[in-house]
Amino acid sequence: KIEHKSGSVTWKSPSNIAIVKYWGKHGNQMPNNPSLSFSLSKSCTETKVDFDVDPSRNGLELDFQFEGKAEKKFEAKIRNFLTKNSADFPYLNHLKLGIESSNTFPHSAGIASSASSMSALALCLVSIESRVFGGFSDKKQFRTRASHLARLASGSASRSVYGGLVCWGESESVADSSDYYAVPIADDIDPVFNTFQDAILIVDSAQKSVSSTAGHKMMVNHPYAEMRYFVARSHVEALKGIMQEGDVKGFGKILENEALALHGLMMNSDPSFILMKPNTLKIIELIREIREEEEMPWYFTLDAGPNVHLMYPLEAANKAEKLIKDVLLPYTQDNTVIYDHVGKGPEQIKK
Ligand code: PMV
């Protein structure tokens, strides 16, 4: 029985950078391969939800504001996610939601924000659920539920519900892993990886030209699809041992291979997309050259766009930041770099 309840909840949740990429799905947001990511620290979405659950209300009422302005397109996306998954929201018809969201990174930075925004929203919805129906028995159950709901909104968002290294999708090498929700595995690896820095070199801040929806679709009839899923599974398995041993080189090799595999798949799919820009390649070349010449332990990855995520352990940060300023910055757009690092995961903001 649903009683009349109202209140307000706020969560701040990070973006994440995939090490093994999720690219290809089936059914209702089920991944075709397991993926691994680091949750970031500074690139976050903060979402406040005012809710009113009233059994006499008949039909969902929804208002969404992004950084103080009504955002009808994203509002429609949220409405679609809620109604499509109404089995997960039995109180949906009695619900009024006022959502206010903002990012801690500039929208123009070209960083994908669905992971941070959808995980923040999912965490708010689970907080509301626990207020309306009574609490969850423990924190683990709460986060599992949030990860499940985040996945239904945006696959990669399922991973942002935790800090550190996170796995989403069933893998033999990751205990309790599931296609339905992500699990945290940061405690299971050498501590050097929890110090990893991510310098995001902005090559082009324009909106990316392939949505991930279109991208996942391209995998359906992709000639290399089955081999891609096999390789991704092997990468998750190999990385488990590599990261337990603290093998930064072994990690970097797979990190770069995954980035180029993702872009390779886009380049030879139908339709074909080339999302790297000339300066993306220039920066990649320089990263590899400097790695050889200076024995720099730094490695790149890319998501579905032209910007380069340059990753290195904290102990190399001083030297890395100097090299970035002196050598790489001229190839970015307006000297734009965002220094982020592996973070501790979402936090609830009590106001
Ligand atoms: O969560 P989606 O559907 O936006 O897909 C994300 C896809 C990549 O960012 C390219 C890879 C990943 O695993 O995050």
Side-chain angles (χ1 to χ4, degrees):
K1 168 132 168 49
I2 297 171
E3 286 169 35
H4 189 175
K5 286 251 168 74
S6 61
S8 174
V9 287
T10 304
W11 278 89
K12 183 176 169 189
S13 191
S15 180
N16 68 73
I17 179 68
I19 302 160
V20 175
K21 311 290 180 185
Y22 153 58
W23 200 241
K25 63 177 176 181
H26 62 275
N28 191 8
Q29 298 278 95
M30 300 296 268
N32 289 348
N33 63 263
S35 55
L36 286 179
S37 61
F38 281 133
S39 291
L40 296 176
S41 175
K42 293 185 191 162
S43 310
C44 293
T45 299
E46 191 174 312
T47 297
K48 173 170 172 262
V49 181
D50 294 324
F51 66 93
D52 184 75
V53 180
D54 184 349
S56 66
R57 179 177 289 114
N58 200 359
L60 169 69
E61 287 176 44
L62 182 63
D63 178 66
F64 178 82
Q65 306 237 333
F66 183 73
E67 292 176 357
K69 282 195 206 112
E71 248 280 9
K72 290 295 163 195
K73 219 173 130 191
F74 207 75
E75 185 179 293
K77 208 173 152 174
I78 295 171
R79 180 178 288 276
N80 182 38
F81 150 65
L82 292 169
T83 45
K84 187 176 162 199
N85 297 292
S86 57
D88 264 297
F89 307 106
Y91 52 99
L92 198 63
N93 266 328
H94 309 313
L95 189 60
K96 181 175 162 184
L97 291 178
I99 308 174
E100 280 171 41
S101 201
S102 59
N103 289 343
T104 59
F105 50 90
H107 188 61
S108 59
I111 312 179
S113 56
S114 75
S116 55
S117 58
M118 288 309 188
S119 57
L121 177 64
L123 286 155
C124 289
L125 289 169
V126 182
S127 288
I128 294 170
E129 213 169 273
S130 75
R131 293 220 200 147
V132 174
F133 295 107
F136 285 78
S137 62
D138 60 18
K139 198 179 155 191
K140 189 176 165 198
Q141 221 189 22
F142 182 97
R143 295 277 172 132
T144 302
R145 173 89 180 131
S147 180
H148 167 95
L149 294 185
R151 180 199 109 235
L152 294 172
S154 168
S156 60
S158 68
R159 298 184 310 237
S160 278
V161 165
Y162 299 99
L165 183 66
V166 183
C167 176
W168 167 44
E170 219 176 301
S171 164
E172 272 174 31
S173 63
V174 179
D176 302 325
S177 55
S178 167
D179 284 350
Y180 290 89
Y181 49 81
V183 291
I185 47 179
D187 293 343
D188 236 17
I189 53 169
D190 188 280
V192 69
F193 291 108
N194 292 321
T195 77
F196 256 63
Q197 309 293 300
D198 180 7
I200 311 166
L201 300 155
I202 306 301
V203 172
D204 187 343
S205 64
Q207 284 281 9
K208 60 182 177 184
S209 51
V210 181
S211 71
S212 43
T213 310
H216 296 299
K217 223 176 249 166
M218 272 175 230
M219 287 305 286
V220 174
N221 289 314
H222 199 291
Y224 302 147
E226 286 313 311
M227 185 50 79
R228 162 62 196 155
Y229 305 139
F230 172 80
V231 170
R233 276 194 292 277
S234 317
H235 279 165
V236 171
E237 279 166 34
L239 275 169
K240 184 78 192 295
I242 285 171
M243 294 180 83
Q244 277 170 341
E245 283 159 24
D247 176 3
V248 170
K249 260 191 191 156
F251 165 83
K253 197 169 157 180
I254 294 181
L255 186 76
E256 295 192 351
N257 183 288
E258 277 287 322
L260 297 175
L262 172 70
H263 282 253
L265 289 164
M266 291 190 279
M267 285 195 268
N268 61 24
S269 62
D270 181 12
S272 154
F273 289 94
I274 302 177
L275 297 190
M276 282 189 267
K277 301 283 177 199
N279 280 347
T280 309
L281 276 175
K282 186 68 202 169
I283 289 172
I284 286 174
E285 264 173 14
L286 287 167
I287 289 169
R288 287 185 162 177
E289 245 172 64
I290 295 169
R291 182 160 73 224
E292 293 305 312
E293 284 164 13
E294 312 239 356
E295 290 183 35
M296 267 303 282
W298 68 5
Y299 304 87
F300 68 83
T301 187
L302 309 162
D303 50 26
N307 304 326
V308 181
H309 289 249
L310 178 53
M311 308 201 70
Y312 45 86
L314 180 61
E315 60 189 20
N318 283 339
K319 190 171 172 191
E321 286 177 24
K322 185 168 184 336
L323 284 163
I324 288 169
K325 279 196 197 90
D326 293 348
V327 187
L328 302 181
L329 225 46
Y331 300 97
T332 62
Q333 180 180 315
D334 305 326
N335 296 321
T336 314
V337 55
I338 297 171
Y339 290 101
D340 209 334
H341 56 86
V342 175
K344 294 190 186 349
E347 54 173 318
Q348 185 165 12
I349 315 275
K350 309 254 180 184
K351 289 199 167 147

